[in-house]
Every structure is written in structure tokens, then in C-alpha cells.
Amino acid sequence: MKKVIPLTELSNEELYKKKQSIKGALIGLGLVMLAAFLVLIYLVITAKTPKVLAAIPISCMLALLPAFISLRQINTEIKNRNSK
């Protein structure tokens, strides 16, 4: 199992690299989830599917929450280093 290195032990270059990779993943997954959300909403409105299907994409957005938290922590660490 890979050991998790704390953000305080990473160099600035590693922090920026990690920030860009998380940001790219968030954008990619966000776009895919948005497309799935739009398709499901279209199906709920036009087809005779159960209306409860509209709750699925909304709950799937919660899957992005850990990535947003990680990105916020990285941004805070970068800001702290730049203010010193």
C-alpha cells in the first residue's frame, strides 16, 4: 500500500503538480456527471420513467466532494507558503 505523504512535506512543484491533476480530474468528472445529469433529466421529463431518477445525479455529485476538499487543502498550503 502506498504511503500518503502530508502536504507540508511536499515541495512547491509537487503541490502545483498535484493541484493541476486534481483540477483536471474535477473538470473531467464534472463534465461527465453534468452530461449524465442532463440525459437523466431529459428522460425523466419526456419518458415515463420514475421521477425518483432525478435524485441519482444529484447524489452522485457528492462523489466529487473529497476532491474539492483536497483541492482546498492544497490551495491553503500553497497560500501559506507564499505568505511566508
Side-chain angles (χ1 to χ4, degrees), residues 6-12 14-16 18-19 69-84:
L7 293 176
T8 55
E9 295 180 8
L10 294 176
S11 68
N12 285 342
E14 291 172 327
L15 281 174
Y16 282 114
K18 195 169 190 167
K19 177 184 174 180
I69 292 170
S70 178
L71 185 62
R72 189 190 68 194
Q73 290 173 343
I74 291 171
N75 286 334
T76 303
E77 181 66 27
I78 290 172
K79 185 178 178 182
N80 288 342
R81 289 184 186 190
N82 288 338
S83 66
K84 290 181 182 179

Side-chain angles (χ1 to χ4, degrees), residues 46-66:
T46 60
K48 295 187 179 184
T49 57
K51 303 295 183 200
V52 76
L53 285 180
I56 293 172
I58 294 169
S59 62
C60 287
M61 294 293 180
L62 293 175
L64 296 178
L65 192 59

Side-chain angles (χ1 to χ4, degrees), residues 25-45:
L26 277 171
I27 291 171
L29 287 172
L31 289 174
V32 169
M33 285 188 178
L34 180 66
F37 177 75
L38 293 175
V39 167
L40 270 173
I41 292 298
Y42 174 77
L43 289 175
V44 166
I45 292 172

